[in-house]
Amino acid sequence: MAEKRRVGVEIMCDSKSAKADGDKEFLSQTGVSALLRGALLKLLESRPEDPVGFLAEHFGHLSSEADDGGAEHQSVSRALWHLSLAHHSQRSAFNNNVRVAYELLTQGVPRRLSGGVHGRLYSEMLRCLCSEGGLSGSTAAPLLRRIQSHDYEAVPFELFRQGVLTCAVFADYIRKSQCLYAAVASAPDRPAERTLCQAVLSTLREALETADGTDVARYLEASAKISPAKVAQAMAEAHPRAQRQDGPTMDAQEFEDAAAALFIARVRIVT
Amino acid sequence: MSAKAVSCTIKSPVALQIGDVVSDSSRPGVYITDITLAEPVNIQEISFKNYYTAYLTVRLQRREDGSSSKWVTCLRNYCLMSNPHAEAGSHDYFSIYRQQMSTEPDNVTTVRLILRQPSSEWLNFSIQEINIYPCAKEDSERDVPVWLSTLTPVDEPLDLNGLPDPETVSSSIQQMWALTEMMQASQTAASIGRFDVEGSYDVKLLSYT
C-alpha cells in the first residue's frame, strides 16, 4: 500500500487515476473527510452569521481537545460553546449538543465518576449559562438554588439536560418579561403603573395555575385566559377611566423579580 | 337524542273475548298488553315494531300527588295499518312522542297498550320490541366548561384609552406561559440521590439539610 502511494505522489504527470487513488487513501487514512463532514453538519445545525469564524472556533476546539485531553476550566468553556450552537427550540440539535457537552464534562475529570458529571462542574456550567443568557446574579440566584448540586455529587445525564434546558428557557423567559414590562409601561422612560403590572402578572399566574383536565383541555383553558380580550378586560378593570392618573408605580426590576418568581416556583427542586 | 330506554316489564298480551276462551274457536280481535315501570317516569317516546296490529290505544296509569293512581287515555285508536286487510304498515316501526299524546305522560307507573285488529285475515297480531324512553333531564347534559361560556366578547366596547395595547401584552404573556409550560413538561423524575444511603433514605441526612 505504501509503495503504491509513493508512486502516486512521485509520478505526478502519470495516470490521473493513480494520483486520485493516492489522494483518496490519504484522506481516508487521516480521517479528514469525517472531520469535514462533522464540521459541515455542525455548521448547518447552528447556522451562524459568521461561518468562517464558527469553523475556526470549531477546529480550534477540536485541536485543543486532541492536545490536552481537557483541563477542567477549558472543558466547561468548550461545553458552553457547544450549548450555544443551537437554541433550545431546535429540539433535536439542542439535545445533540447537550449530549456532546455532557460527554466533554464527564471525560474532563481525571477520576471518572460513575454517576455522571462532577457536581462542581455542573453548578459552574449552570452559572455560566445564566450569565451568558443575560441574567444578573440576583435574578438567577433563586433558580440556581433550586437546581444546582453539591460539589461532591454526581449528576446523571437526564438531570444535566433538564438543568441546562431550564437555564436556557429561563433566560428567554426573563427577556420576554422585560418586553412585557416595556409594553405595559406607557413611555420608555416612565415606570409602569402598579395596578396594571399586577393585573398582567395575575393573568399570567391564573393561566399557569390551570390545574385539572387533560393536557389539551388545560392548554385551551389557559389560552382562553390570556387572550387579548381577556387581557384588555383585566387591564380596564384594574385601571378604570376615572383613575387614569399617576398612581403608584412598579419599576422594571420589581416586575422582573415577580415574573421570575412565577417561573421558579414551578421548577422542581433537585434532590 | 340517545336517551337510554327505561327498563320495564312487559306482560304477555291478554285477549278480550266474548264467551268462553277455551271453547270458542274464533280468533280474538283485541289484545291488551300491560307494561309496568320500575319507578315513575316522564315519558318522552314509546317505540315499537308492529306485527299486523291495525289500531292502537294507549292508556297510562299516572302517580298523582298523594299516592293515588289514575288511568288516563293518551292515544285513542291510533291507526297503524291504513287498510287492516292489507299489508301496508303491518311490519313497520313506530314511535309515539309525548307531543302526540293528549295528556302529559308524567309520573307514569304503568302503560297499557290496547291492540285492535278487526280484519279476519291475520292469524295473529301483536307489537314487539317495545321501548320506552324517558325525558332527558336538564342536568344530565354535559357541563359546558366555564371558560368556554366567557369566550364571547363583551357587549360594550372597553375603554382602552391610555391603556397598553392588549395584543402586544397578550402576545408576551402567551410566550411566557408557553416557556413555563415547556419547562414544566421537560421535568424528569431523575434525582441525584442526595438523601439515598445505599438505595434508601437516611433519616439523619434528611433532618440536617
Side-chain angles (χ1 to χ4, degrees):
Chain A
M1 278 271 253
E3 310 254 33
K4 218 173 162 192
R5 195 179 71 185
R6 239 180 286 136
V7 165
V9 163
E10 282 170 17
I11 311 176
M12 301 245 189
C13 326
D14 222 329
S15 56
K16 280 201 181 139
S17 59
K19 184 177 183 212
D21 285 339
D23 286 346
K24 248 191 259 178
E25 277 173 22
F26 173 72
L27 284 178
S28 64
Q29 277 200 345
T30 50
V32 169
S33 52
L35 263 180
L36 286 175
R37 194 167 44 239
L40 281 179
L41 280 174
K42 271 256 179 270
L43 185 70
L44 284 173
E45 261 183 15
S46 52
R47 298 199 181 236
E49 275 150 18
D50 174 25
V52 178
F54 175 85
L55 284 172
E57 266 187 29
H58 176 77
F59 287 118
H61 282 299
L62 277 181
S63 72
S64 57
E65 274 169 46
D67 290 339
D68 291 327
E72 264 186 18
H73 61 276
Q74 282 190 356
S75 62
V76 170
S77 61
R78 278 204 295 271
L80 281 170
W81 179 78
H82 277 283
L83 287 172
S84 66
L85 293 180
H87 189 251
H88 65 81
S89 59
Q90 297 164 272
R91 194 52 64 89
S92 56
F94 185 77
N95 284 340
N96 285 341
N97 295 338
V98 171
R99 176 54 83 170
V100 170
Y102 183 77
E103 299 290 326
L104 267 176
L105 290 177
T106 46
Q107 85 190 39
V109 182
R111 185 195 62 200
R112 188 192 290 257
L113 291 172
S114 55
V117 174
H118 205 169
R120 190 164 46 78
L121 282 180
Y122 173 67
S123 305
E124 199 183 321
M125 273 279 317
L126 294 181
R127 268 197 300 276
C128 295
L129 264 178
C130 287
S131 61
E132 271 189 16
L135 298 170
S136 69
S138 55
T139 318
L143 176 70
L144 290 175
R145 264 200 297 276
R146 283 200 170 214
I147 59 175
Q148 68 187 12
S149 59
H150 291 305
D151 288 351
Y152 52 84
E153 287 171 328
V155 179
F157 175 68
E158 269 310 312
L159 214 53
F160 179 82
R161 194 185 79 89
Q162 179 187 313
V164 164
L165 184 62
T166 307
C167 288
V169 170
F170 186 60
D172 272 355
Y173 180 87
I174 292 295
R175 265 196 293 279
K176 275 280 151 257
S177 75
Q178 288 163 350
C179 292
L180 181 59
Y181 183 79
V184 172
S186 45
D189 50 345
R190 286 175 53 209
E193 298 283 336
R194 178 166 284 268
T195 45
L196 276 180
C197 292
Q198 281 167 345
V200 159
L201 285 173
S202 65
T203 331
L204 176 58
R205 187 184 314 113
E206 270 175 31
L208 287 173
E209 282 170 3
T210 319
D212 40 323
T214 58
D215 274 345
V216 178
R218 265 191 335 115
Y219 291 162
L220 281 175
E221 190 173 346
S223 47
K225 287 181 185 167
I226 50 182
S227 63
K230 275 270 176 249
V231 166
Q233 199 177 359
M235 290 198 296
E237 276 169 20
H239 209 50
R241 187 83 204 270
Q243 300 174 21
R244 238 163 256 178
Q245 296 124 15
D246 296 320
T249 59
M250 189 190 283
D251 65 346
Q253 189 57 49
E254 195 184 338
F255 186 84
E256 196 178 296
D257 290 340
L262 285 177
F263 183 94
I264 295 175
R266 283 163 180 80
V267 174
R268 194 178 72 96
I269 303 180
V270 160
T271 53
Chain B
M1 273 206 305
S2 59
K4 290 219 181 98
V6 174
S7 65
C8 46
T9 328
I10 304 174
K11 301 204 177 116
S12 53
V14 173
L16 285 185
Q17 275 183 297
I18 304 174
D20 205 353
V21 179
V22 179
S23 59
D24 218 341
S25 59
S26 62
R27 289 192 295 277
V30 186
Y31 277 109
I32 301 192
T33 307
D34 270 1
I35 305 170
T36 42
L37 302 170
E39 48 175 25
V41 169
N42 299 353
I43 296 179
Q44 176 67 27
E45 181 190 338
I46 303 176
S47 69
F48 56 88
K49 182 177 186 303
N50 189 15
Y51 185 75
Y52 294 105
T53 308
Y55 301 102
L56 175 70
T57 300
V58 180
R59 297 200 83 209
L60 306 170
Q61 186 180 30
R62 282 203 300 217
R63 164 88 47 84
E64 305 275 309
D65 299 329
S67 75
S68 66
S69 300
K70 211 170 145 228
W71 279 103
V72 289
T73 307
C74 66
L75 204 66
R76 187 183 291 280
N77 281 338
Y78 184 65
C79 179
L80 303 177
M81 288 165 64
S82 48
N83 182 355
H85 300 292
E87 285 277 349
S90 56
H91 289 272
D92 285 359
Y93 288 89
F94 288 91
S95 276
I96 300 174
Y97 295 95
R98 69 184 281 139
Q99 292 90 333
Q100 296 169 273
M101 300 183 187
S102 54
T103 53
E104 292 295 320
D106 292 329
N107 286 326
V108 174
T109 50
T110 316
V111 178
R112 179 168 287 168
L113 303 168
I114 300 171
L115 315 171
R116 291 202 307 113
Q117 177 51 276
S119 165
S120 56
E121 294 264 338
W122 318 110
L123 289 175
N124 270 317
F125 62 96
S126 63
I127 60 175
Q128 297 150 354
E129 291 174 33
I130 305 170
N131 281 313
I132 299 181
Y133 297 98
C135 290
K137 291 192 270 292
E138 278 308 309
D139 52 324
S140 72
E141 303 231 12
R142 204 165 323 160
D143 288 326
V144 173
V146 176
W147 58 268
L148 254 188
S149 53
T150 57
L151 269 184
T152 49
V154 195
D155 290 328
E156 56 211 59
L158 295 167
D159 182 11
L160 294 175
N161 222 354
L163 285 181
D165 176 28
E167 297 276 346
T168 331
V169 172
S170 168
S171 140
S172 294
I173 299 182
Q174 286 168 28
Q175 290 177 51
M176 288 166 74
W177 171 81
L179 285 171
T180 316
E181 284 291 331
M182 183 167 72
M183 180 275 297
Q184 274 189 282
S186 71
Q187 308 258 41
T188 67
S191 74
I192 289 185
R194 189 170 286 171
F195 302 117
D196 285 355
V197 173
E198 290 163 23
S200 56
Y201 285 109
D202 186 4
V203 179
K204 289 205 203 103
L205 274 181
L206 279 174
S207 62
Y208 286 149
T209 48

